Structure formats: C-alpha cells, structure tokens
Amino acid sequence: MPNYYSITTDEQITMEYELAGIGSRAMAFLIDSIIILLIEIILFILLVILVHGGFKTGTLDTYLGSIILLMIFAFPLSYFVLWEGMRGGRTLGKNIMHLRVIDHKGHHISFFSALLRNILLLLDFLPIGFLCGFIAVMITKSEQRIGDLLAGTIVIIEGSKKTHQVARERLFADTMQ
C-alpha cells in the first residue's frame, strides 16, 4: 500500500507525493552500484596500464596515476552527490526507476543536502548490509534513512504528485451546505 507525503504551500495548495518504497530504492541503488563498478573497473585498468608501463618519478605517468587513484577512491561518493545535487535529485538508477530526492518542502535538493545525505550513507550501511538504513526506512513515517532525516530529504516516485487546492475545496463545500 503506497505511503504519501503531504505538503501545504503558503497559498493553501496541498501536494501529495508518493514515497518510494524500500524495493524501488534498493533497485535504483543496485543500478547505480553497477554503473559505479563498471567505471571503477575502467579506472583500475587505466591504473594497471600506467603501472605496467613503468612509472617514472616526476613524469606525467606519475601524476596521471595519482589522479586515477584519487578518482577510484572519490568516485562512488562524488557520483551520488553530483548527480543528485545537479540533476534535480536523480541519479541514473533513480531516473530509470522513476525516483527523485526532494527536500521536505517539495523543492529540488541543494548540493549541500546531496552531500550530507550521501556522506551519511556510511551510517546507513552499519553494522552490515544497510541494516541501520533499512530499519530507519521501516520505522519512519516518511520512509527516510538516516541520511535523509539529517539532510531533510525524502525519496519520492517521480510523477506521483497530486495537488489539491484546499481553499477551492472549502469554498465548494461551503456553497453546498
């Protein structure tokens, strides 16, 4: 049964977003993880080619090798932060699964929110296999993991927004009485 998140604007318009469940979120994460793994393999192959080509101290190979090594370690976090922070809360996996991360007011998330929620992905992973994140999603009303709670974000199903003009409904109800 779908769970909804409601937001009432200053203009008394209520918007309801269908929250993404654990299954669709896990599938989006799996897709993103496969993409990250493929890119990491390519980077690792480039590093091996440079190493077997023989690093020469102070040469371009040393600098390229260092940059590639840094990219191998930084890429997984930067993938999520850059895609979510610059593409309206959507990674490639979320886009395929029609999911999006929004802030608690229904707006696109900021770069800082994307950074915070994804740094805290490490907490969600504890103690093993995203157990803390799974428990957080299951017990919070808005199905938020730890990173979402602290960053003030929620994951919704794209295109599920329903709007209701509360003022118009009240006016219509008053005229019917």
Side-chain angles (χ1 to χ4, degrees):
M1 182 162 164
N3 192 6
Y4 290 91
Y5 182 81
S6 296
I7 301 166
T8 302
T9 66
D10 294 335
E11 294 81 17
Q12 295 303 307
I13 297 174
T14 302
M15 296 182 290
E16 288 184 337
Y17 296 93
E18 185 177 346
L19 296 171
I22 196 87
S24 58
R25 291 174 72 158
M27 185 58 81
F29 187 79
L30 178 65
I31 293 167
D32 288 327
S33 295
I34 290 169
I35 293 167
I36 290 169
L37 179 64
L38 292 174
I39 293 172
E40 293 267 299
I41 288 170
I42 292 168
L43 290 171
F44 186 74
I45 289 169
L46 288 174
L47 185 62
V48 168
I49 290 170
L50 283 174
V51 168
H52 282 295
F55 277 118
K56 297 177 184 126
T57 307
T59 65
L60 183 60
D61 288 350
T62 304
Y63 299 118
L64 284 176
S66 300
I67 290 169
I68 291 171
L69 196 57
L70 180 63
M71 287 173 63
I72 288 171
F73 287 108
F75 184 72
L77 175 63
S78 60
Y79 170 87
F80 288 104
V81 172
L82 292 174
W83 277 95
E84 288 180 1
M86 298 175 136
R87 286 211 63 242
R90 292 180 213 96
T91 61
L92 291 173
K94 285 182 184 71
N95 201 33
I96 290 169
M97 295 302 298
H98 306 287
L99 305 180
R100 184 165 59 109
V101 182
I102 60 173
D103 70 11
H104 65 280
K105 294 181 180 178
H107 301 126
H108 293 293
I109 63 169
S110 67
F111 184 80
F112 178 75
S113 293
L115 179 64
L116 183 59
R117 78 182 296 271
N118 286 295
I119 286 175
L120 294 170
L121 188 64
L122 296 173
L123 282 177
D124 290 317
F125 187 74
L126 296 175
I128 187 166
F130 290 99
L131 183 60
C132 285
F134 176 78
I135 291 169
V137 168
M138 297 308 285
I139 65 172
T140 57
K141 180 182 173 189
S142 298
E143 300 183 17
Q144 296 168 289
R145 60 179 182 79
I146 298 167
D148 290 321
L149 289 167
L150 294 174
T153 58
I154 56 173
V155 182
I156 61 161
I157 297 175
E158 187 77 86
S160 67
K161 179 173 64 173
K162 299 177 186 176
T163 59
H164 308 281
Q165 190 146 3
V166 176
R168 187 176 295 162
E169 290 173 1
R170 287 184 190 149
L171 179 63
F172 182 72
D174 290 342
T175 59
M176 294 301 290
Q177 293 178 353

